[in-house]
Amino acid sequence: MAEKNYSMTNKFILVGFSDHPNLSTLLFLVFSVIYLITMVGNLGLVALIYMERRLHTPMYIFLGNLALMDSCCSCAITPKMLQNFFSMDRRISLYECMAQFYFLCLAETTDCFLLAAMAYDRYVAICNPLQYHTLMSKKLCLQMTTAAYIGGSLHPMIEVGLLLRLTFCRSNVIKHFFCDVLPLYRISCINPHINELILFTLAGSIQIFTITIVLVSYFYILFTIFKMKSKDGRGKALSTCASHFLSVAMFYGSLLFMYAQPHSVNEGDKDIPVAIFYTLVIPLLNPFIYSLRNKEVINVMKRLMKKR
């Protein structure tokens, strides 16, 4: 009955890193540099793949879309976070909050499907090289990319729709640096059990489905690689897959820890370091993981630089 005395709110305050006011300037500089490098690295990779016809292959098309989604992820949360470092007014409206979470969830879910598509592409390239152009046609590549965006759009629509059933009367303070769904559950005056169950089911199902594709693909890839007689061929194949597998391990590890565990809504501020890792650090690292370990991308960059 006591909860009825609280007034409803449609504006929130993002606490962010206000617990460390002495570090505001340093954190602002660090996250500004991360944001700048992330945008330049990812959008530069998208532009490079778009301009170079030799990179218009399924692997690079998937990679370009992954870089685009990483940019979307960073844009969804970093500008507001940087603003809040020196702003006295850290308020954000309910609809701005929903939009922030929608685009973040869109980027992360689409990334899941794109990483699975990239794993299948590498499976076909290494295990069935003679049939690669038949099995991985441009039509199939387009269909897989479109399916990734459709799946990536539907998931946040469901989550945002379910958020609209909640009312917020306990507090308007979000102990996070962006509007994530879990902190919103914590300040809801309606029991978010249904939302939490659907989040766990949907997020878990998407991740299990895409991880299964990745693991099965890499099982056959490793089996094929170890059967190769040529050491050079084996090393080249391993090098090609290493960057993708590293990115997959970091991305899925953080998401599984964050969303796909029961009662994760009760973890409090413990999820902030993980959130920093998957929203800021991974989008920063991905273009370097893929481009610096990829001789074809490096050669294209060198050729373009020589022309200028």
Side-chain angles (χ1 to χ4, degrees):
M1 293 295 291
E3 287 185 2
K4 291 184 179 180
N5 295 326
Y6 287 99
S7 59
M8 300 297 177
T9 182
N10 60 359
K11 287 188 179 291
F12 306 101
I13 298 173
L14 289 172
V15 173
F17 302 94
S18 59
D19 292 339
H20 309 283
N22 296 332
L23 298 175
S24 292
T25 303
L26 177 61
L27 290 173
F28 176 83
L29 291 173
V30 169
F31 289 125
S32 294
V33 171
I34 289 175
Y35 181 57
L36 180 63
I37 296 174
T38 298
M39 297 306 294
V40 171
N42 283 290
L43 294 181
L45 189 57
V46 172
L48 186 69
I49 292 170
Y50 176 79
M51 291 187 298
E52 182 56 48
R53 293 185 62 87
R54 287 193 301 176
L55 299 181
H56 293 179
T57 61
M59 181 177 74
Y60 293 107
I61 290 172
F62 293 140
L63 178 56
N65 283 280
L66 185 72
L68 187 63
M69 286 296 98
D70 282 343
S71 301
C72 176
C73 176
S74 188
C75 283
I77 62 170
T78 309
K80 183 66 176 177
M81 180 185 68
L82 293 176
Q83 177 190 338
N84 286 344
F85 275 117
F86 299 108
S87 174
M88 297 301 294
D89 184 8
R90 295 189 175 91
R91 288 181 298 176
I92 184 170
S93 72
L94 174 64
Y95 295 107
E96 288 176 314
C97 202
M98 298 286 184
Q100 193 178 57
F101 170 71
Y102 176 85
F103 286 107
L104 175 66
C105 188
L106 166 68
E108 301 296 348
T109 307
T110 305
D111 275 357
C112 286
F113 291 114
L114 288 172
L115 288 170
M118 291 171 72
Y120 176 75
D121 174 75
R122 292 300 84 205
Y123 157 74
V124 176
I126 292 174
C127 300
N128 298 283
L130 299 178
Q131 296 179 296
Y132 179 76
H133 294 290
T134 303
L135 295 175
M136 281 301 298
S137 62
K138 289 185 178 180
K139 181 180 179 181
L140 178 60
C141 177
L142 178 61
Q143 289 173 340
M144 293 173 75
T145 305
T146 303
Y149 279 103
I150 292 174
S153 301
L154 289 176
H155 180 215
M157 282 182 185
I158 295 171
E159 297 297 344
V160 169
L162 288 168
L163 279 175
L164 294 174
R165 69 176 282 272
L166 302 179
T167 55
F168 304 95
C169 58
R170 292 180 179 176
S171 171
N172 68 338
V173 177
I174 298 177
K175 295 182 178 180
H176 216 294
F177 61 95
F178 67 94
C179 274
D180 198 8
V181 66
L182 300 182
L184 286 173
Y185 290 171
R186 294 178 195 127
I187 62 173
S188 171
C189 53
I190 292 178
N191 192 330
H193 176 70
I194 294 175
N195 296 61
E196 186 183 359
L197 179 63
I198 293 176
L199 174 67
F200 172 70
T201 303
L202 278 179
S205 298
I206 291 169
Q207 291 181 47
I208 289 171
F209 172 70
T210 51
I211 286 175
T212 300
I213 293 174
V214 171
L215 292 179
V216 171
S217 297
Y218 272 91
F219 172 79
Y220 284 106
I221 286 170
L222 291 174
F223 184 73
T224 302
I225 288 173
F226 289 128
K227 283 174 61 179
M228 291 180 179
K229 296 180 180 179
S230 170
K231 289 185 179 180
D232 292 336
R234 191 184 307 165
K236 184 178 179 181
L238 284 171
S239 178
T240 302
C241 297
S243 57
H244 178 249
F245 196 75
L246 176 62
S247 179
V248 166
M250 293 191 303
F251 179 76
Y252 280 109
S254 57
L255 281 188
L256 284 170
F257 182 85
M258 190 77 173
Y259 296 111
Q261 54 175 329
H263 309 298
S264 55
V265 70
N266 298 317
E267 289 299 312
D269 297 341
K270 294 179 182 179
D271 53 18
I272 290 181
V274 184
I276 292 173
F277 187 73
Y278 82 83
T279 59
L280 301 177
V281 177
I282 291 179
L284 168 71
L285 295 178
N286 272 346
F288 298 100
I289 290 173
Y290 285 108
S291 58
L292 293 180
R293 293 186 60 86
N294 193 304
K295 291 182 180 179
E296 194 168 358
V297 173
I298 292 174
N299 290 335
V300 170
M301 291 174 65
K302 288 180 178 178
R303 188 162 54 81
L304 290 175
M305 291 175 66
K306 286 180 180 178
K307 285 183 178 180
R308 295 186 178 183

